[in-house]
Each structure stands twice: as structure tokens, then as C-alpha cells.
Amino acid sequence: MSEARKTLEERAQMSDIDRLRHSCAHVMATAILRLWPNAQFAYGPPVENGFYYDFDLPDHRITPDDFEKIEAEMKKIAKENQKFEWKGVSREEAIALAKSGRLGGLTERPGNPSVFKLDLLEKIPEGEQISTFQNGDFIDLCAGPHVGYTSKCKNVKIMSVASAFYMGDETKPQLQRLYGTAFPSKEELDQHLVQLEEAKKRDHRKVGRELKLFHIDEDVGQGLILWTPNGAILRQELQNFISEELRKQGYSQVFTPHIGKTVLYKTSGHFPYYKDSQFAPVIENDDLAKVIKEGCGCCEVMERLGAVSSRLRQQLNERAGKEVVPEDRVMPDDQLLDGFLLKPMNCPHHIKIYASQPRSYRDLPVRLAEFGTVYRWEQSGELNGMTRVRGFTQDDAHLFCTEDQVAKEVLGCLSLVKIVLNTLGMHDYRVRVGLRDPDSSKFTGDPAKWDAAEEACRTAAATLGVPFTEEPGEAAFYGPKIDFVIKDVIGREWQLGTVQVDYVLPVRFDLSYNGADNKPHRPVMIHRAPFGSMERFCGVLIEHFAGHFPTWLAPEQVRILTISEKVDAFADEVYAKLKDAGLRVTLNNDADKIGAKIRLAQLDRIPYMLVLGEKEAAAQSVAVRHSKKGDLGVKAIDDFIAEITSEVKERRL
């Protein structure tokens, strides 16, 4: 299991739905054992939207063909109304149960000890209460909690099967992982299953392929998006939209390179502390020749790339007023290696732009914005179309302001996010305010400044008029943050835009401005990205609209469809007029029947279709169809152009 082991106190706080799903995992294990008594179970937690159980079953590979009989057995167990009974046991008793095969089984299984339960027992700290839960004949190592009886577990569905390494460790056995879901009522389960079917239809990977929006190629690399012409239009329209709003709010656009020297990220603290989520550094050619000549191994090269000079260590520690760079990272200058990193984030580059000239309090706030592409290393198994990638473009901005300006600037950032979401029809969202945990050493900086920044975030969030929650311990280490969690049209939640207050990077880079007292002062930095990343946001938009984009976003806004070749000349005139009006238009004057042309345009999700026949040509008009509204009647060409250009200009949905 990749997540940290939960304490008994944390388990006791399990929500009602998770408690139900946890119980259903036990019922599923009971059903599997009735069908395959030699199954060896590891663990079965509730997860988002369901539950799973990992198990080893040497003599059978579970397939979807087995789901129906497993579900049928689970429903029998639910009908039996077995009680979930807790029992505290000693470590010795638990080990004896596991060695006999009884733990995680329906009976004792001589010669078939519960190997995974024995291993899990070793991981339970000394002094912690060990317990089992029993329903019917099934006894499991479990701290709970559970529902009272299996009768609560009748609204279940087996969803999928996969492989998973025990404890998420590739060196350990590969197990089968069976996923299921459960709800308190049949109506809720049915609604969830309908939602899943709808999600399949809207899957951005499927729709993106159908509409030719993006492509991922093995030779380019997994997680690296190729924006095709249609997708590029979608992205450019979004960038144009946000750029207009940025200009209104006084932002200055900047451009920065895709790489930076390792010393830049050593100063910011991103390298080597976050090296597991970064691409490996690119070594300077001279240094590369040097290490080859010296016969250095890879480990030594990485150690020398991550090391710092004594001078840099001293500077960073003095600025922070404490040790932020330990002595064991220091190497002599002649041992240090120089290199470059693919940019993991834009903020250090923007900081260097701020620091490139003297700043006065009169210059602040300085607002720097960039559609900047960054690169993060993600495991191949975690990549997912456009929503989890290795290279992505952030609609990024960094604001440098005085302490007194923080509240107003945070409010401005939130208003920008609200404009973006409202324009795109995403009205159903909530806000999370990430605060520090006063008992944690993770958070750095002056507590008084933290208090002021947190209050500014609370006040700003309250102005949005949407639900918001305060989440202690969820702040970034350098300051409080505000995250936007969007609910799409089928009820799924996506974390998108974010605003973060930062007191740490201005210190690490020794940023300053000249105050009204003619003395240097430290600015506060605010990070903000309304879309998060263009890739993820477009992936969410594709699914939100199911490819039926508002006209202003649609890669192809109008398609002209001719009934016969007799109106080809008129179709060319209409095409030219629409082009001159700045619309994205195509002409289909193939020999196909008009019904086939309309069906193709519908499949391509073209907002407007203009059907042209001899009647329309004679009247200098067009028969208008909309992909979702159907037949809109016959209109004069100029009237249609006026209507659609107004719709596009106002960015109507």
C-alpha cells in the first residue's frame, strides 16, 4: 500500500459510506472463498467510489466472466444477514490464527497459512490493539469499523479486476485486485452506474481521438501531448480569453526558456529534494567529458550534480535565519558539476525577471504571467491522456507585492478564477482553503505573517459565494493556498485552479524592494493558475462538454452542406462571407446525400450547419441547423453572420 498506515483513531473517523464499502470488501472476500477456498487475502480498504481486495489465487485468474457469480454469492451473504463481530486478540492468538490459515479464511486450512496476514501482523506496532472481525465463517485481521450486519451490503457491483504488487512494491508478489462499489440504496447504485456509462462516452481520450484534438505517440514519448490543428484552436481560444482578462487586471506577459541551470533550482529548493518527480539533469558538455575521463559512476555524478558550494549554503542559511541546507550537501568547487533541468516550474524564472532590476514600493504589485511549459516525471502507470502528463503548459502567474497588498491581490486572483469558470459554465464548484498545522514543523516563516495571509485567504474565499472548507495541514510549506474543486455535468469532481501565498521563495532568492522609508523590504509572492494546466483543463472541458463545445471554442464553428452541385457557386459565396467575418468554416459539397452530410457534421460536433439548396440560393438565405438545438429555420445570410459573430464575441455557452 503506497499510503501511510492509518492509526486506530483515523480508522474510527471513517465516513458512513466508507464503512459500508469496507464491509462490502469483507463480504466480497467471503464470496470468493466460498467459490475458491484457497484464496489468500492481503488487504481490502474502501477507496474513492468503491472498495477493493488484493488476494492471491494460484489456481484461477479472475475475469469479468466471474463477476456475475461473485455478485450472486455476495447477495446471498447479504440475505443471510450475518453480524460483523469485533474481537480483540493478542498478537500470539492472531499469529496462531494466521498460521492455521483461519485468518482471512472460512475454516482452518492446514498447510496453507495466511502469509499476507502474518506479514501485516508484523507491521502492527507493539502495544497497539490487534483485532479481528467475523461475519459468518469469515474471520479477518481488521481494526474496523464496519456496518452492523451484511444485510446493509446488498447494493453492490463488481467493477473490474487488475494486477497489483503486494504493498505496491515491485519486488513483492503480484496479486489480483478486484474492485467493487456499493451504495446505501439501489437508486444511488443505479445512478452511479449510469454516470459511469456517461463518463465512458465522454472520455476525453475517446472524444479527443474522434475530434482529432490531440495525439500521443510512442516515438515522442508517453505523457507528451501533440496538439493537432483542432486541439490547437481550442487551446489558443482559451489562451486568448485568459490573456484578455490578464490585460484588464494589469498583468505583464513574459516568456522564459524550457530549461534552467541546476543552481537555480538548488536555490529555490526544488532540486534535489523533488528529484523523484523531475527529469534527470542534463550535464554541461565540458563537465560530461570531465566525468567520463574520471570514470565516475552514475551515483557519484548525481551526488555531485545535487551538491552545493559552501558559499551558496551560507547564503541560503543566512537568508532563512536557520539551516535549510545541511553541511553534508557541500562539496569543493572543483567537484561540483554544472547542468540544466527541464523546467519543473516557472516560478524561479519569474523571480529572476523580478530581480533583474531595482524595484520601488511604487512599482508593486508586479504581476508576471506566462503560458509556460513545465516537465514532471510521472510513472508510466500513472499517466492518463491529457489529465496526467509529463509535459504541460500552465496558465501561470506570479505576483510580487507588499504585505499590505496581499489581501487585495488574493481577491483579484480569485475573481479571475471565478470569471474563467463562469464563462465556461462551470458554476458548481467548491473551494478548499489550505492552512498550516501549528503543531507541524513542515511550515516555515513568521507565524504572524502566516496568520495575516490565512485570514486574507479566508476573507477572499468567503466573497465567492460558494461553499468553502478550511483544511489545517493542507497549506504548502511556504504559505496558505486556495484550491478550486470543480464538479462537471455528470457530478465528478476535478481539482483545477489554485492560488498560493509564498513567504519562502522571496527569502531564498533574497528579493527586495525599496520602501517608502528608503530601506529594503521583502516582497510577498503569490502563485496563481486559474486553469491549472492547459492539458488537464482541456481534458476536463472535453468531458464536461462531451465535445459539444460552445461556438467560440469549437475548432470548426460552421459547416456548409450543399444539397446538389447546382448551388456550388452560391456555397462558395457563403463560405467567403463567413471567412471574411472571422469564422472557422468548412464546405462539404461532396456528392453524398444531405442526410449523410448532416449525420457526419453531428458526429463531428459542429455547432452550426448551413444547408443550401436551390430555394436558399434564390432567396440569398441559409437553412440553419444546430448540433444540439436542431432546425433553427431559414435566415438571411447577413442575419446569421450577425447572430453568430455576436455569440462568439460574447463567448456565450
Side-chain angles (χ1 to χ4, degrees):
M1 291 177 292
S2 55
E3 15 177 278
R5 185 175 180 278
K6 289 183 178 176
T7 65
L8 293 179
E9 291 76 15
E10 288 171 328
R11 290 171 188 273
Q13 294 169 11
M14 192 180 286
S15 67
D16 289 345
I17 188 68
D18 280 350
R19 188 183 297 239
L20 169 65
R21 289 168 176 168
H22 184 200
S23 303
C24 289
H26 281 233
V27 171
M28 184 172 73
T30 310
I32 290 169
L33 283 164
R34 286 184 176 182
L35 297 166
W36 298 282
N38 289 327
Q40 284 276 359
F41 287 90
Y43 38 75
V47 291
E48 186 179 7
N49 292 324
F51 59 90
Y52 69 81
Y53 219 124
D54 284 355
F55 56 93
D56 184 35
L57 189 54
D59 54 352
H60 185 76
R61 183 76 203 170
I62 300 290
T63 72
D65 292 338
D66 297 313
F67 291 0
E68 190 175 336
K69 61 184 174 185
I70 296 172
E71 281 178 20
E73 202 63 48
M74 290 177 73
K75 286 174 181 174
K76 281 185 197 172
I77 295 163
K79 206 168 184 180
E80 290 165 13
N81 200 24
Q82 299 170 0
K83 186 177 182 180
F84 283 99
E85 296 183 278
W86 179 90
K87 184 180 179 183
V89 294
S90 68
R91 188 174 295 271
E92 292 72 25
E93 288 175 303
I95 290 171
L97 284 169
K99 285 183 175 178
S100 71
R102 186 71 183 91
L103 205 55
L106 301 181
T107 63
E108 289 189 0
R109 297 179 286 183
N112 190 17
S114 306
V115 290
F116 301 114
K117 303 299 180 183
L118 284 167
D119 184 65
L120 292 171
L121 278 166
E122 289 183 11
K123 293 174 169 51
I124 297 176
E126 287 294 334
E128 183 176 302
Q129 173 68 66
I130 296 173
S131 61
T132 64
F133 264 90
Q134 181 167 358
N135 60 281
D137 293 327
F138 180 59
I139 300 177
D140 204 2
L141 176 68
C142 184
H146 286 282
V147 296
Y149 292 85
T150 59
S151 58
K152 299 279 189 184
C153 302
K154 61 185 177 183
N155 302 303
V156 294
K157 182 76 176 172
I158 304 299
M159 302 303 298
S160 62
V161 65
S163 296
F165 290 106
Y166 178 57
M167 305 299 288
D169 186 340
E170 294 179 8
T171 65
K172 296 186 185 299
Q174 192 174 63
L175 307 178
Q176 299 187 57
R177 175 173 290 181
L178 192 59
Y179 286 96
T181 192
F183 286 86
S185 70
K186 184 178 184 300
E187 292 73 23
E188 288 170 289
L189 175 61
D190 290 344
Q191 184 182 352
H192 176 71
L193 297 177
V194 168
Q195 184 189 75
L196 290 179
E197 284 304 309
E198 184 63 26
K200 286 180 188 175
K201 295 177 194 171
R202 293 168 175 266
D203 189 320
H204 74 278
R205 295 165 297 183
K206 172 180 175 288
V207 176
R209 184 171 58 252
E210 292 168 353
L211 300 186
K212 301 179 179 64
L213 297 173
F214 69 96
H215 177 62
I216 298 171
D217 192 284
E218 283 289 345
D219 289 346
V220 175
Q222 286 296 307
L224 300 172
I225 302 298
L226 298 172
W227 294 82
T228 52
N230 283 352
I233 291 170
L234 175 64
R235 172 173 163 167
Q236 189 62 58
E237 286 296 333
L238 287 169
Q239 290 187 190
N240 291 345
F241 163 46
I242 195 69
S243 294
E244 283 180 25
E245 296 302 325
L246 291 175
R247 283 192 289 274
K248 292 176 190 174
Q249 293 201 13
Y251 283 80
S252 300
Q253 188 166 7
V254 297
F255 298 93
T256 61
H258 288 237
I259 62 173
K261 290 185 74 171
T262 51
V263 69
L264 182 70
Y265 301 104
K266 291 174 188 177
T267 303
S268 69
H270 294 119
F271 183 76
Y273 297 119
Y274 300 101
K275 66 178 185 295
D276 289 345
S277 60
Q278 297 168 0
F279 281 84
V282 179
I283 307 176
E284 284 268 24
N285 288 354
D286 290 346
D287 281 347
L288 181 60
K290 176 180 170 184
V291 296
I292 291 172
K293 186 175 180 181
E294 292 173 359
C296 289
C298 291
C299 289
E300 183 185 344
V301 169
M302 290 304 296
E303 189 178 350
R304 290 168 66 177
L305 275 167
V308 298
S309 67
S310 58
R311 180 170 169 271
L312 180 59
R313 174 180 181 259
Q314 182 181 355
Q315 286 176 340
L316 292 174
N317 289 347
E318 284 180 356
R319 291 170 191 170
K322 62 179 181 180
E323 184 175 81
V324 293
V325 181
E327 192 172 358
D328 60 11
R329 280 192 60 203
V330 174
M331 277 191 179
D333 288 356
D334 62 354
Q335 290 292 304
L336 296 174
L337 294 177
D338 224 349
F340 292 85
L341 274 181
L342 283 173
K343 183 170 60 173
M345 46 202 51
N346 298 304
C347 36
H349 291 71
H350 291 188
I351 285 169
K352 286 298 184 181
I353 291 175
Y354 174 88
S356 65
Q357 62 189 77
R359 305 284 181 178
S360 161
Y361 71 96
R362 292 189 178 91
D363 302 323
L364 271 54
V366 172
R367 307 183 186 100
L368 304 178
E370 176 181 20
F371 291 98
T373 302
V374 298
Y375 303 88
R376 309 268 176 88
W377 177 257
E378 297 278 3
Q379 296 294 331
S380 58
E382 295 175 341
L383 299 173
N384 180 33
M386 299 182 86
T387 58
R388 195 75 181 264
V389 292
R390 287 175 172 160
F392 53 93
T393 301
Q394 295 178 305
D395 60 318
D396 218 353
H398 295 93
L399 296 79
F400 303 86
C401 62
T402 68
E403 294 269 356
D404 294 341
Q405 293 169 333
V406 169
K408 183 180 178 183
E409 291 305 307
V410 168
L411 200 57
C413 291
L414 295 195
S415 71
L416 181 61
V417 177
K418 191 171 182 178
I419 288 168
V420 168
L421 297 179
N422 287 345
T423 301
L424 292 164
M426 293 176 150
H427 305 295
D428 193 356
Y429 60 91
R430 60 186 176 87
V431 171
R432 294 189 306 227
V433 181
L435 308 173
R436 74 195 187 285
D437 178 354
D439 298 326
S440 173
S441 59
K442 163 188 164 184
F443 307 99
T444 61
D446 182 347
K449 291 180 179 178
W450 269 89
D451 290 341
E454 288 179 340
E455 188 55 37
C457 288
R458 283 192 193 95
T459 303
T463 66
L464 292 171
V466 298
F468 76 92
T469 56
E470 295 183 12
E471 302 191 6
E474 292 303 313
F477 72 91
Y478 47 72
K481 65 175 182 173
I482 299 173
D483 292 327
F484 285 76
V485 182
I486 315 302
K487 187 174 282 189
D488 67 16
V489 290
I490 59 171
R492 297 168 304 175
E493 288 195 329
W494 304 83
Q495 199 268 299
L496 294 174
T498 188
V499 177
Q500 302 177 353
V501 181
D502 184 350
Y503 290 105
V504 172
L505 287 183
V507 172
R508 291 188 75 106
F509 282 94
D510 199 23
L511 299 184
S512 66
Y513 65 89
N514 202 40
D517 57 2
N518 208 28
K519 293 179 181 177
H521 295 265
R522 189 80 69 199
V524 181
M525 187 173 174
I526 299 173
H527 310 245
R528 74 105 194 93
F531 291 152
S533 83
M534 298 303 294
E535 286 74 9
R536 181 174 171 80
F537 194 79
C538 285
V540 172
L541 275 187
I542 291 167
E543 299 197 8
H544 182 71
F545 290 116
H548 290 279
F549 298 112
T551 307
W552 69 275
L553 275 179
E556 184 180 343
Q557 295 167 324
V558 184
R559 186 174 293 179
I560 301 168
L561 311 175
T562 58
I563 292 176
S564 75
E565 61 185 17
K566 295 177 183 177
V567 295
D568 279 357
F570 177 57
D572 288 339
E573 289 176 31
V574 174
Y575 176 85
K577 282 192 171 187
L578 293 171
K579 271 285 188 188
D580 289 345
L583 295 165
R584 295 186 288 274
V585 56
T586 61
L587 168 61
N588 182 351
N589 57 358
D590 294 344
D592 296 333
K593 291 185 176 179
I594 192 64
K597 292 180 181 181
I598 290 172
R599 280 193 297 276
L600 179 60
Q602 286 285 160
L603 288 173
D604 290 341
R605 281 97 156 170
I606 312 302
Y608 287 97
M609 293 154 267
L610 303 185
V611 179
L612 306 186
E614 292 182 67
K615 261 197 321 187
E616 286 77 24
Q620 290 289 295
S621 60
V622 291
V624 184
R625 287 186 64 87
H626 190 272
S627 62
K628 298 186 81 174
K629 300 173 187 173
D631 187 358
L632 299 182
V634 176
K635 300 185 180 185
I637 300 169
D638 290 343
D639 289 347
F640 172 73
I641 290 174
E643 288 175 14
I644 189 174
T645 51
S646 172
E647 179 183 338
V648 169
K649 184 179 180 182
E650 294 172 16
R651 295 192 172 96
R652 285 187 232 142
L653 293 173

